[in-house]
Amino acid sequence: MALYFLKRLLLSVLVVILVVIALFLLTYAIPGDPARVALGPRANPELIAEFRARMGLDQSLATQLYNFFVSLLQGDLGRDAISGEPVLNTVLSQFPDTLYLVLGSVLVALVPGVILGILSARYRGGIIDRISSVLSVSVMSVPAFVIAIYLLLVFSIQLGWFPAIGAGTGFWDRLHRLVLPSLALGLAWIGYIARILRASILEEMNEGHVRTARAFGLSENRIMYDYVLRIAVLPMITVLGIGIGQMLSSAVFAEVVFGRPGIGKLVYDAIISRNYPIVTGTVLVTTIFFVVVNLGADLLVAWLNPKVRHDLSR
């Protein structure tokens, strides 16, 4: 198990390094001079040259990449090209709002998805199974920003049940304003999680230990919850780890549509203003978070699955 963890950790570090390199190449391929955008069209050439030297923009791309990795090892992501504040502080100040949004979206996707998956497997071919099938095909194909716009139009503007924009101040106000953005990101994953869990349950129901439990006269409910679900949820955990990354990327649209603070809105504004340090820092922090979540999901699956745990301990 320790060797498996070390391999996955090294692979995660490699993914982060490749993401940083690709991000540098893609960011600097965007047309426009960040110095002119930050200082405005009336800035004189001397001021622009001083700004580029201070931000390291006058160096070659390879030198900038090397300096960034050196600073990264020291916990320094650079400074905001516009405000001059440390990038890490700016990103971490916005990260909790996005984290709450992702957690809310996970709850929206997980609770109905698990219930639908269990019921679809128990009553295969029934009305619930058909509803789950329609959800997995129809809702999953709709982009998150489209769902967000329709939720905003219906439940905020027409019905007035939820506030249209902002993150709120108190606990209940923040929770109230979190409902629609969480639905916008989580709805598309309900049917997907339900179908994954359904297929896994039906496959597990045909295993030998389940037939043995039936032969001993155990009830179907006990077989389902004591024997089948322990293994059937493992593919869902892996899918959910990937889904969190998708929700992070979709948070940009939800935060822009609902006017919420967060790293999605932060990176959107940074791209518009050519604020490269903020773009790099934001994507790097979200990449590390995504890699850690998937690493945790893989380790959890390896620990919960007796077969995998036995193979790794050999």
Side-chain angles (χ1 to χ4, degrees), residues 55-68:
M55 299 301 298
L57 298 175
D58 57 340
Q59 301 172 345
S60 65
L61 180 60
T63 303
Q64 293 182 52
L65 185 59
Y66 171 78
N67 292 335
F68 180 79

Side-chain angles (χ1 to χ4, degrees), residues 175-186:
L175 188 63
H176 191 208
R177 293 172 183 268
L178 192 62
V179 173
L180 291 185
S182 298
L183 284 173
L185 300 186

